[in-house]
Amino acid sequence: MDLITVSPKGGRAFAVQVRGHEVSSDMSEKDGGRDRGPSPVELLAGSLGACMAMMVQRYCDRHGYKDGEFGVNLTLEIADSPKRVGAFVVDVELPDDVPEDRKEAIRRMVELCPVHETLRHPPRVDVDVA
């Protein structure tokens, strides 16, 4: 797996770099940042949505469903004690030509995306402070 590097960009903003790509992360102005990018929690939600969207895209491509756009919309609920994401609310919009009897199978498949499975089965996180 490729190394992911996170570097400060000033204030509460950071550059997340992987394989030559860079994504900025910052806090909102109300949380003390300058809102120059999504917050880390929003990036987590975006990762979940992108993973699910890729699963839907693969399914639709394989079965020829192309009538209309599809997408994934997410909101998140913050919980306290400890401060964390308490829930992700996910709305998957499918192309118009997906038959009603295939929607449950798509839902089950979307839930198998690696990010969703990681959230369901949290990984070990080893932290080394040098």
Side-chain angles (χ1 to χ4, degrees):
M1 192 52 102
D2 295 298
L3 178 67
I4 299 172
T5 303
V6 180
S7 313
K9 291 178 73 171
R12 297 202 177 179
F14 291 86
V16 180
Q17 299 163 332
V18 62
R19 293 190 343 264
H21 303 284
E22 181 174 305
V23 176
S24 292
S25 182
D26 196 359
M27 300 304 292
S28 68
E29 289 181 7
K30 73 177 181 66
D31 289 325
R34 294 196 305 209
D35 204 15
R36 294 186 290 174
S39 73
V41 172
E42 291 165 335
L43 287 174
L44 177 63
S47 293
L48 176 61
C51 189
M52 290 178 161
M54 288 179 189
M55 298 293 280
V56 171
Q57 179 72 60
R58 185 183 321 167
Y59 185 90
C60 289
D61 287 349
R62 189 173 355 161
H63 296 283
Y65 300 128
K66 298 178 192 241
D67 183 17
E69 296 294 317
F70 78 91
V72 176
N73 298 297
L74 298 94
T75 57
L76 48 92
E77 298 170 6
I78 300 297
D80 290 315
S81 298
K83 187 88 164 178
R84 69 197 183 285
V85 175
F88 293 98
V89 179
V90 182
D91 178 31
V92 178
E93 297 177 14
L94 298 173
D96 296 333
D97 56 346
V98 173
E100 193 66 36
D101 66 346
R102 299 308 310 150
K103 291 181 180 180
E104 180 60 23
I106 293 170
R107 185 191 60 75
R108 287 192 311 268
M109 183 208 54
V110 164
E111 289 179 343
L112 293 175
C113 89
V115 175
H116 184 265
E117 286 297 301
T118 298
L119 294 169
R120 287 176 21 105
H121 306 281
R124 183 185 79 244
V125 179
D126 299 323
V127 178
D128 181 24
V129 178

